[in-house]
Amino acid sequence: MSRQKTVIVSGATGGIGQFLCRRLRQDGYRIIILSRRAGMPPDIEADLAVCCDLMDAGSITAAGRAIRDACPTIDLFISCAGTISPQPAGTLDGEDVRRQVDTNLTGVILLTNEVLPNIVAGGRVLFVNSMAGVFPLAGSAVYTASKFGLRGFARALALELRPRRIRVTSVFPGSVDTAMFREEMEQGGSLLNFMSWPLAPERAAAWILGSARGGKEEHFPSLIDRIFPPLFLWSPVFLRLCLPVMIVWSHLTRWYYLRQQARG
């Protein structure tokens, strides 16, 4: 009889995380979720909930102990937690800066460090990043910085874990139609979020887990998403030339999205 595989999911209570757990349940995983609040959240399909606040190093250490006690072996670790507070530089709020950097980067690094000893050979670490990790979003510089940092951490980690036969994968979904996305746009989030149509969270979850089964270290929604962001980083002039067209396209997509939302 084969051993039941175990997955740790950080950010399971978010719009994408809930659907990740549903699909992982269908795949037969034992699911351990991390939540800032004690107890099992409603509507989450999981076997155990561990309290963990990514803004609190002590909480992360305690969560690591609880995970190791409950899970002698971990087959898959998914980091899906994230937060964003759009603010232009010069008006940044210190607490919002700390929350974004701790939740999107520092806390993820510390949590990964806690679970790594129990990940088995042949296991996988999966970071749900953002297109902001490869494309700068004006007005969301802190979020962009945290996601760029997460990409760098993942790529270095992949080199470190190769001798242990643990694969590290990063996925970069475009806009996903979650409560976080809608709140971001209400707060003045970048218009360029509408360069692609906001994906339903259940479809995003299916794409994320499907991508994780492959052998690539990084996965993007489309060939365009894989090619153009590196070109923009290589040549800021190229980005400035393309930006007017991207803005017009994003305006049209947002107009149609809002029209669809109004229709219900």
Side-chain angles (χ1 to χ4, degrees), residues 203-224:
R203 290 187 61 192
W207 174 76
I208 288 167
L209 292 179
S211 299
R213 297 186 184 101
K216 295 180 180 179
E217 288 187 10
E218 296 186 334
H219 291 267
F220 297 88
S222 69
L223 182 63
I224 290 176

Side-chain angles (χ1 to χ4, degrees), residues 40-138:
M40 184 71 71
D43 303 325
I44 300 292
E45 299 187 27
D47 298 281
L48 177 66
V50 174
C51 187
C52 181
D53 184 350
L54 291 177
M55 293 183 63
D56 184 341
S59 175
I60 295 171
T61 300
R65 287 196 298 267
I67 290 170
R68 289 190 293 273
D69 290 342
C71 311
T73 58
I74 298 170
D75 299 276
L76 175 60
F77 168 55
I78 301 178
S79 174
C80 191
T83 187
I84 183 171
S85 297
Q87 291 177 337
T91 66
L92 298 175
D93 177 87
E95 185 60 26
D96 283 338
V97 170
R98 188 173 78 87
R99 182 174 64 253
Q100 291 178 89
V101 174
D102 283 354
T103 303
N104 301 337
L105 181 58
T106 308
V108 176
I109 292 172
L110 294 176
L111 180 58
T112 304
N113 185 63
E114 290 290 337
V115 302
L116 274 179
N118 286 42
I119 298 180
V120 301
R124 186 185 290 267
V125 176
L126 173 60
F127 295 112
V128 180
N129 204 311
S130 162
M131 286 303 295
V134 292
F135 182 88
L137 291 180

Side-chain angles (χ1 to χ4, degrees), residues 11 13-18 36 80-86 99-100 103-104 128-130 132 137 140 143-144 146-147 173-190 193-194 198 201 257:
T13 59
I16 298 175
Q18 296 182 40
R36 282 180 297 176
C80 191
T83 187
I84 183 171
S85 297
R99 182 174 64 253
Q100 291 178 89
T103 303
N104 301 337
V128 180
N129 204 311
S130 162
L137 291 180
S140 296
Y143 180 77
T144 297
S146 68
K147 291 301 186 177
S175 299
V176 181
D177 198 3
T178 62
M180 175 178 159
F181 170 75
R182 292 188 290 272
E183 184 178 346
E184 174 192 354
M185 300 316 297
E186 288 173 0
Q187 294 175 355
S190 173
N193 280 306
F194 287 99
Y257 170 83

Side-chain angles (χ1 to χ4, degrees), residues 109 112 116 125 127 148-163 166-170 217-218:
I109 292 172
T112 304
L116 274 179
V125 176
F127 295 112
F148 265 72
L150 181 60
R151 186 191 191 197
F153 174 69
R155 298 192 72 163
L157 187 66
L159 297 175
E160 288 190 29
L161 297 183
R162 190 171 296 165
I166 297 173
R167 289 182 292 176
V168 178
T169 302
S170 294
E217 288 187 10
E218 296 186 334

